[in-house]
Amino acid sequence: MLKMSNDSPKVKKQTNTFSLSSFPPQNRARLERRIVGSTNRWRLPREPFSGDLLALSQECKALSIDFDEALKNPPRLYISQLQKIFSENVKNKAIPSREADVILECLGFKWELHQPQIFQSKTLTKLYLAALARDTTSPVKELEKLLRAQLPGKIKERPPVKKMIISLKINDSLVTKVAFATALKNLYLSEAKMNMDDMLGVLASAHILQFDTLIQRCVTTMMSALTPSTIKTFYLAGCKYKEEQLTTACEKWLEMNLVPVVGMQIHLQKIPQELLHKVLKSPRLFTFSEFHLLKTILLWVYLQLNHKIQTVPTYETVLAFFISFPRKCSFLDRDTGQNLMPLFLSLRLHGITKGKDLEELRHMNFFPESWLVRVTANHYHALVSGGDMAHVKDLTTQAVRFGLLFNQEYTTLSKMIAIYGFFFEIKGTKHDTTSYSFCMQRIRHTDLKFSLVSEYSPVSLRAERLVKYEIRAQALVDGKWQEFQTNQITQKFGLVKPSCKSHALKVQTVGIPIYVSFSLIFPVS
């Protein structure tokens, strides 16, 4: 038996009013007039309705039921009204102390339930009505009696109702007895406490019961509890139960945290390939650089092929693993690599411009030779043409990306980036507790430390460089992502102020951390 607490909120005064005029008339042969809104229409009573079609249409619209279905199935009108009354008012009423109306047989238990509660669940409602039709000679009259008992106004004695026994079979492995009991408890207490360990089971139970308010509560709770350890199970649950709001939240969370958070933990191994592919194609994906993103995906592949690994290996270990394969063909050309091809086609390898990084790609023999030849050729043509990236057209899908992760402890944060002999500082500044600005500035190569300009680094002496760029910032506030971004701006960057500095993205948010992405291409000039 499901045990319930006797504590309950105060009963609020009932204010809803409902009319029985649309119900089947009992022994009425005369014409009936009915006022509907600003109209005064009437028609002859034709079973099963005594009111006019306009009133019936408006009633169906208010109850969100199909008009044609109501004409074919009049009892559905009773059911919808009962569900509407109970769903709106059950939370304001004390938990029934009277004897249960319904016995639910499920999962080897018998659960004692009451009518106002079961009508919140579409599944239990259908089972109850089926039992009513089976055990009662006039189920419509029973429904009408039940509805009248719920109407406000006069204090009515509760009519005797025959106790029904209903059965429910559950084949979902996620549903446990504890989770199902929690779901049933939510029929009585709208804010019943739920254990996060049982959340998947409660969501599964809510779907089986077709208990919409509980489904939404589970989804909202899961969206606010996304972590590297829960992202996989929550995403798969969202897919299984077709909860688009949950799957979208998982995708959005991973877009921000794949590289800076999940990519540093063993939980990366559990990320489904389908989810990873969606995230890689997203224009909102955050990464510190294109090479950082590549290393994260290489680590994911390594973890798929080494299931027993319990700790995150070093990048050198991952590199050595792929180098160890025979060099007769690249890893992606092998049978194992063919299934992974869509992931790496989603990367922007042309954004990896450092000679050391490109040399590592050639040495590990991971990519087909044709890919690396194309990347190298594009780099060569860009260098000899003063940085013009003729192979890149679309800023949204092809731009080279750099990122800053602005945390609570920072008042300023900056990083130097280099591309085709041009050097920029990307910078974030905190002005007060909720105000920030982000921009980038061109830097002379002579003002840089030696670590950024080695003897093998290209250096451009052009006084001006045409750059198309966009700055985007995102922060999570109360479970919702705030997005800030500049327009796509095309600007000539010189070496002196004010031409050396980009437009600033100003941000007002209480969210921390702030994920800031700088996307840029060098158009043909």
Side-chain angles (χ1 to χ4, degrees):
M1 184 176 81
L2 182 66
K3 295 182 179 180
M4 297 294 166
S5 167
N6 289 325
D7 296 333
S8 60
K10 294 182 178 179
V11 180
K12 294 183 180 179
K13 184 178 180 180
Q14 177 70 44
T15 57
N16 293 356
T17 57
F18 293 85
S19 172
L20 288 173
S21 57
S22 63
F23 294 165
Q26 302 295 326
N27 302 320
R28 278 187 278 174
R30 63 184 178 82
L31 300 182
E32 181 173 305
R33 177 181 289 266
R34 201 192 220 181
I35 297 175
V36 180
S38 59
T39 69
N40 190 16
R41 301 183 181 185
W42 63 277
R43 70 176 179 87
L44 293 175
R46 293 181 182 178
E47 295 295 344
F49 300 108
S50 63
D52 61 73
L53 288 174
L54 177 59
L56 177 62
S57 174
Q58 292 175 340
E59 185 172 12
C60 290
K61 185 176 181 181
L63 295 171
S64 300
I65 63 175
D66 184 74
F67 178 68
D68 293 332
E69 180 66 23
L71 287 173
K72 296 176 185 177
N73 185 16
R76 179 172 168 79
L77 223 48
Y78 295 118
I79 299 167
S80 297
Q81 287 185 310
L82 283 168
Q83 289 178 328
K84 186 175 180 66
I85 293 174
F86 289 139
S87 64
E88 289 179 352
N89 300 297
V90 71
K91 61 184 178 181
N92 298 326
K93 296 181 179 179
I95 297 173
S97 58
R98 56 182 170 78
E99 187 178 352
D101 309 298
V102 182
I103 303 295
L104 171 63
E105 295 178 344
C106 184
L107 298 175
F109 283 77
K110 292 184 177 180
W111 315 84
E112 295 189 356
L113 304 172
H114 299 80
Q115 284 174 342
Q117 280 66 39
I118 68 168
F119 274 97
Q120 295 177 84
S121 160
K122 294 184 179 69
T123 299
L124 296 183
T125 299
K126 291 175 183 177
L127 292 174
Y128 179 79
L129 295 177
L132 196 66
R134 183 182 65 246
D135 298 344
T136 308
T137 56
S138 180
V140 172
K141 287 184 178 179
E142 290 294 326
L143 284 173
E144 188 174 352
K145 185 193 302 182
L146 178 59
L147 183 57
R148 285 195 174 114
Q150 302 302 320
L151 291 175
K154 298 178 182 179
I155 299 176
K156 310 174 184 64
E157 292 185 5
R158 180 178 176 271
V161 179
K162 182 179 178 181
K163 183 178 291 187
M164 297 292 177
I165 299 177
I166 59 178
S167 298
L168 176 62
K169 292 184 179 180
I170 296 177
N171 297 319
D172 194 328
S173 59
L174 289 178
V175 179
T176 65
K177 293 176 182 178
V178 172
F180 191 70
T182 302
L184 293 180
K185 188 176 182 180
N186 274 268
L187 292 171
Y188 290 80
L189 299 172
S190 60
E191 297 298 325
K193 185 177 180 181
M194 297 189 292
N195 192 320
M196 188 57 66
D197 293 337
D198 298 321
M199 192 58 62
L200 287 177
V202 176
L203 176 64
S205 302
H207 267 273
I208 288 171
L209 293 171
Q210 297 184 65
F211 186 2
D212 293 338
T213 55
L214 180 57
I215 290 172
Q216 185 56 49
R217 186 182 171 202
C218 289
V219 167
T220 302
T221 302
M222 293 163 77
M223 287 169 56
S224 64
L226 289 171
T227 65
S229 61
T230 62
I231 181 73
K232 174 190 174 181
T233 54
F234 287 3
Y235 175 76
L236 293 179
C239 294
K240 179 177 180 178
Y241 300 112
K242 296 180 173 58
E243 290 297 336
E244 186 176 348
Q245 188 181 11
L246 179 58
T247 55
T248 300
C250 291
E251 292 168 16
K252 180 64 178 177
W253 185 90
L254 194 60
E255 287 168 4
M256 296 297 100
N257 293 286
L258 174 63
V259 174
V261 180
V262 183
M264 309 295 290
Q265 300 184 25
I266 197 64
H267 297 295
L268 176 66
Q269 186 181 52
K270 299 178 181 179
I271 301 299
Q273 182 172 338
E274 174 198 359
L275 174 58
L276 188 61
H277 190 211
K278 287 181 180 180
V279 168
L280 291 178
K281 293 191 297 181
S282 172
R284 297 182 299 270
L285 173 64
F286 172 85
T287 182
F288 297 112
S289 70
E290 301 299 339
F291 192 61
H292 272 91
L293 179 58
L294 171 61
K295 290 195 293 184
T296 300
I297 307 308
L298 290 174
L299 175 59
W300 179 87
V301 175
Y302 176 87
L303 293 174
Q304 303 309 300
L305 301 176
N306 297 272
H307 298 287
K308 296 182 179 180
I309 295 294
Q310 299 296 317
T311 58
V312 178
T314 63
Y315 174 63
E316 289 71 25
T317 300
V318 175
L319 196 61
F321 172 77
F322 291 115
I323 291 175
S324 67
F325 283 85
R327 302 191 68 83
K328 61 181 180 180
C329 67
S330 69
F331 180 85
L332 287 182
D333 285 328
R334 298 176 180 276
D335 291 339
T336 305
Q338 285 294 311
N339 293 330
L340 303 174
M341 194 73 77
L343 296 179
F344 291 91
L345 286 171
S346 302
L347 299 181
R348 305 178 188 182
L349 297 181
H350 60 270
I352 302 174
T353 59
K354 289 184 180 179
K356 176 178 176 294
D357 298 339
L358 292 169
E359 184 59 34
E360 285 183 358
L361 296 189
R362 284 189 289 270
H363 187 50
M364 80 167 64
N365 194 34
F366 187 90
F367 295 96
E369 184 66 23
S370 60
W371 290 28
L372 299 181
V373 168
R374 184 170 62 250
V375 170
T376 304
N378 287 336
H379 288 340
Y380 173 79
H381 289 301
L383 283 169
V384 299
S385 60
D388 292 352
M389 300 166 67
H391 56 286
V392 175
K393 304 296 183 183
D394 183 55
L395 184 70
T396 302
T397 60
Q398 296 178 298
V400 183
R401 296 167 293 190
F402 300 93
L404 294 176
L405 188 60
F406 205 96
N407 287 311
Q408 180 68 45
E409 64 270 19
Y410 297 138
T411 53
T412 60
L413 177 65
S414 65
K415 182 170 69 174
M416 297 295 178
I417 61 174
I419 180 168
Y420 298 139
F422 295 90
F423 302 91
F424 295 87
E425 177 187 30
I426 57 177
K427 185 176 181 180
T429 304
K430 181 178 182 179
H431 302 290
D432 55 47
T433 54
T434 61
S435 179
Y436 307 82
S437 65
F438 303 94
C439 66
M440 66 179 187
Q441 180 176 337
R442 187 178 172 188
I443 305 296
R444 293 177 184 270
H445 71 278
T446 53
D447 296 334
L448 297 171
K449 295 180 180 179
F450 179 75
S451 59
L452 268 180
V453 187
S454 67
E455 58 180 314
Y456 300 109
S457 299
V459 173
S460 177
L461 300 179
R462 290 183 61 169
E464 292 184 328
R465 172 65 258 176
L466 188 66
V467 182
K468 188 174 184 179
Y469 67 92
E470 179 185 64
I471 307 173
R472 181 194 298 263
Q474 299 172 85
L476 187 62
V477 179
D478 296 330
K480 295 182 179 180
W481 287 96
Q482 291 183 337
E483 296 190 21
F484 310 86
Q485 65 186 82
T486 64
N487 296 323
Q488 293 187 6
I489 302 169
T490 302
Q491 174 184 337
K492 280 188 177 180
F493 279 81
L495 292 169
V496 295
K497 292 181 179 181
S499 66
C500 67
K501 196 170 184 179
S502 73
H503 290 247
L505 174 64
K506 296 181 179 180
V507 172
Q508 289 282 344
T509 183
V510 295
I512 284 293
I514 304 175
Y515 303 79
V516 190
S517 295
F518 296 79
S519 303
L520 59 92
I521 60 176
F522 292 168
V524 175
S525 56

